[in-house]
Amino acid sequence: MPERRFLAACVQMRSGRDPGANRDAAVAGVREAASRGAAYVQTPEMTSLVERSRERLFERVTTEDQDVTLAGLRQAARETGTVVHIGSIAVRSGDKIANRAYLIGADGEILASYDKLHLFDVDLPSGERWRESATYTGGACAVVAATPWAMLGLTICYDIRFPALYRALAEAGAEILTAPACFTRQTGEAHWHILQRARAIETGAFVISAAQGGVHEDGRETFGHSLIVDPWGRVLADAGGAEPGVILAEIDLAQVADARARIPALQHGRAFTVERIGPEVRAAQSARE
């Protein structure tokens, strides 16, 4: 039987424009977490590079086999004997870039990867405009990967707003869900904690999400508050706002079974159809007839 208790850590970062410097910060975070007893360590979305400019981004992004952050964290996993979850890095994918997460075993081998499904194309009230689809290619497959302790569901940032994804991951066996992020300060202040806790409550799963925090070299401001949430929706660890650092919490997987027994929502889902009723609907139907 796998061990059902372990220490999990999130490395909160403020990645900039230099992939080498970002790699060093991530490796240092993994080493600190391991020295404090963590067996699983997660870094944020865009661990390797945070850059608004599409031109500058393409100048710095490489293929997977050449990425210095992936190589550095694989080595760190081997040397510390920890499972390292890279929240995501940017890697070349044809004429676009993949926003890709990696789960790395304690032997340094890649156990799984996941490309972000949902791309952040929004206009915020502050005037900020984001069009991830102009640069990034969206994934097409959800991923549940085996760890030494439990099945783990991989997601990234904006995915957190799509609850059907998390239910599907939980129904596929995930007891731990993840949503490492580079959340904007404005949307984070409004929704970050609520969304993380809601996904945990809905699925009766742990949610672990490392985050970027602070004002980055490219001018964007991210919310921080890396979180570890238990299956009852309680926040076990919160890294706070802007500053880089490491948080840890004990993951007791018996709590997953307990939460799902108390509220067996995963067992109670039913297929349904949606019926639209109203004068506008009837008029449209008449016009078609």
Side-chain angles (χ1 to χ4, degrees), residues 13 35 62 71 78 80 84 133 139 153 184 197 220 236 242 253 263:
M13 297 180 65
S35 73
T62 65
R78 278 192 298 270
T80 60
V84 174
S133 63
T184 67
R197 296 180 66 200
R220 84 180 69 192
L236 301 180
L253 289 156
I263 309 289

Side-chain angles (χ1 to χ4, degrees), residues 100-115:
R100 185 170 295 163
Y102 292 89
L103 186 67
I104 302 166
D107 59 359
E109 294 302 308
I110 296 172
L111 302 176
S113 64
Y114 162 77
D115 287 1

Side-chain angles (χ1 to χ4, degrees), residues 11-32:
V11 179
Q12 184 155 294
M13 297 180 65
R14 189 181 302 146
S15 297
R17 288 171 161 159
D18 180 350
N22 298 331
R23 172 204 57 205
D24 293 346
V27 167
V30 169
R31 293 188 183 284
E32 178 185 340

Side-chain angles (χ1 to χ4, degrees), residues 171-287:
E171 289 176 340
E175 294 179 284
I176 304 168
L177 301 170
T178 63
C182 191
F183 239 65
T184 67
R185 181 188 59 79
Q186 185 180 16
T187 57
E189 286 176 344
H191 300 146
W192 174 253
H193 286 80
I194 295 167
L195 289 168
Q196 300 284 327
R197 296 180 66 200
R199 298 298 85 86
I201 293 165
E202 291 161 355
T203 61
F206 284 93
V207 176
I208 304 174
S209 301
Q212 299 278 356
V215 179
H216 299 258
E217 285 181 286
D218 70 346
R220 84 180 69 192
E221 186 175 3
T222 52
F223 184 59
H225 287 278
S226 299
L227 290 179
I228 302 175
V229 182
D230 80 4
W232 203 243
R234 294 170 293 217
V235 175
L236 301 180
D238 183 335
E243 292 307 309
V246 175
I247 58 169
L248 294 94
E250 183 180 66
I251 305 300
D252 178 0
L253 289 156
Q255 293 180 28
V256 175
D258 180 65
R260 290 176 177 178
R262 287 201 233 175
I263 309 289
L266 291 176
Q267 300 173 32
H268 291 165
R270 298 183 63 193
F272 56 87
T273 59
V274 177
E275 182 179 5
R276 295 179 62 209
I277 299 173
E280 297 86 354
V281 177
R282 289 193 293 272
Q285 290 172 338
S286 298

Side-chain angles (χ1 to χ4, degrees), residues 117-151:
L117 279 171
H118 301 98
L119 301 180
F120 191 54
D121 288 359
V122 300
D123 297 292
L124 298 176
S126 64
E128 290 181 76
R129 187 173 188 269
W130 299 95
R131 291 292 180 272
E132 281 191 339
S133 63
T135 302
Y136 296 93
T137 179
C141 182
V143 174
V144 179
T147 72
W149 315 282
M151 300 299 288

